[in-house]
Amino acid sequence: MIGNAGDCRKTALIVEGGAMRGAWAAGVLAYLQECGRRQYDFVYAASSGACSAAYFVADMWEPGLAIWRELACNVVRKSNFLRRKPIIDLAYLVDHVIRTRVPLSVEALKKAPTEFFIVLTDCHTGEPVYFRVGDERVFAALRATSSMPLATRGFDYVDGHPFADGGVADPIPLRRAIADGATDITVVLTHNPAFRLKPIPPWLGKLAYPEFPAVARVWTARQNVNYNAALDLMKQPPAGIRIQVFRPLRPLPVGSFSVEPKQIAAALVLGHDEALQQMEMVEAKPAENPVPD
């Protein structure tokens, strides 16, 4: 569904987060890389989706896959719960793995033809922020967008300003992609077709964000509304907008906090194979949303 450079159409890729469920999404990205769908005009991602998308945009996909296969199992520290410490180790993920062990090339991100946006949530306003990647601040942005409520301290700093997981304010930034001019949009989700996000109890919001009531309100009262509205928009996009959605069709072998390497590897393979299956289904039927020449 990628438009030609000669027309006015613009392509976008949106990658949902989901902690270790992101292994399935990484498998989809591996399929897109394999079949030549490597370049998009815009990429938007949050949480674990942003970490995978960074390597995808930098054209470093094999190293990105190696993180999932060999190192992702060490990111979740379940025993930390008993010590009252975050169970997701962002220092290990971003500072050790992404910066040092499997270094993400900032230079490659700068040279990429893609406009890459990491989605953040402003802790003071609760509004989404679309951080344009272009320099060393990408690492701070990855830490912030990966700061899941309750599983981490819930926020991190970019340029001295606190930001939370981008999936809190805009879990599927479809409207933003359309507003930016994207016409051919690929969306990678990490939940099955029947999934609808439910509201979160307000007391959990206060527990997760005691310092930032605006984020607490958005997480508990608006996240599900925004998420489900994006799902509805996918089903009935505006005229001239083409959307292709990849989503799990079978139960995933991983949950948000899985640590078993074999399960993570199985999710990667499943994501790749289900993406291939869904692409074959799309190609086998007539377009449901044709765009006039």
Side-chain angles (χ1 to χ4, degrees):
M1 303 292 177
I2 297 182
N4 296 320
D7 60 29
C8 295
R9 304 190 65 79
K10 296 285 187 179
T11 59
L13 172 67
I14 296 172
V15 187
E16 184 184 10
M20 303 307 290
R21 297 173 64 87
W24 188 90
V28 176
L29 296 186
Y31 167 76
L32 294 177
Q33 181 86 2
E34 180 181 287
C35 70
R37 297 177 59 173
R38 301 177 182 179
Q39 292 187 0
Y40 294 81
D41 295 302
F42 309 102
V43 171
Y44 308 83
S47 193
S48 63
C51 297
S52 291
Y55 284 90
F56 185 85
V57 172
D59 198 20
M60 299 176 61
W61 191 237
E62 282 305 318
L65 280 179
I67 292 175
W68 281 106
R69 293 190 184 112
E70 302 168 16
L71 303 171
C73 58
N74 299 318
V75 173
V76 178
R77 311 288 174 89
K78 293 183 178 180
S79 61
N80 279 358
F81 179 77
L82 299 176
R83 303 187 185 101
R84 296 185 178 182
K85 294 182 178 180
I87 65 171
I88 292 182
D89 190 340
L90 292 182
Y92 173 80
L93 173 63
V94 178
D95 300 329
H96 175 67
V97 175
I98 297 178
R99 290 191 76 132
T100 306
R101 181 80 178 272
V102 189
L104 175 67
S105 172
V106 176
E107 191 62 29
L109 289 173
K110 289 180 183 179
K111 292 180 179 178
T114 298
E115 293 186 47
F116 176 31
F117 296 93
I118 295 175
V119 187
L120 309 172
T121 299
D122 189 309
C123 285
H124 293 320
T125 67
E127 294 297 316
V129 173
Y130 307 92
F131 177 84
R132 173 80 180 275
V133 172
D135 54 37
E136 290 285 338
R137 294 178 299 163
V138 61
F139 300 108
L142 288 174
R143 283 184 66 120
T145 197
S146 301
S147 296
M148 292 178 62
L150 300 177
T152 71
R153 68 173 176 171
F155 69 96
D156 217 306
Y157 293 94
V158 182
D159 292 334
H161 190 92
F163 293 97
D165 180 357
V168 171
D170 196 359
I172 309 174
L174 184 56
R175 290 190 182 277
R176 171 66 188 220
I178 293 172
D180 283 344
T183 55
D184 296 75
I185 305 172
T186 300
V187 184
V188 181
L189 302 180
T190 55
H191 293 90
N192 65 62
F195 180 80
R196 303 285 287 190
L197 194 61
K198 297 179 180 179
I200 295 167
W203 67 267
L204 269 181
K206 294 178 181 179
L207 179 63
Y209 300 106
E211 301 174 70
F212 304 112
V215 182
R217 286 192 297 270
V218 169
W219 187 45
T220 58
R222 293 297 304 171
Q223 183 193 44
N224 69 302
V225 174
N226 295 339
Y227 188 95
N228 296 334
L231 294 180
D232 293 337
L233 185 59
M234 288 178 207
K235 295 177 181 178
Q236 294 185 312
I241 303 298
R242 294 188 290 216
I243 300 176
Q244 181 175 13
V245 182
F246 293 101
R247 55 180 20 126
L249 302 179
R250 295 185 277 282
L252 295 186
V254 294
S256 295
F257 304 112
S258 296
V259 296
E260 175 54 51
K262 290 183 179 180
Q263 294 176 340
I264 296 170
L268 283 170
V269 172
L270 185 61
H272 174 279
D273 293 351
E274 287 196 320
L276 172 60
Q277 176 186 349
Q278 290 172 60
M279 179 63 78
E280 290 174 343
M281 291 168 60
V282 169
E283 293 175 345
K285 65 180 181 180
E288 296 179 356
N289 188 30
V291 179
D293 294 331

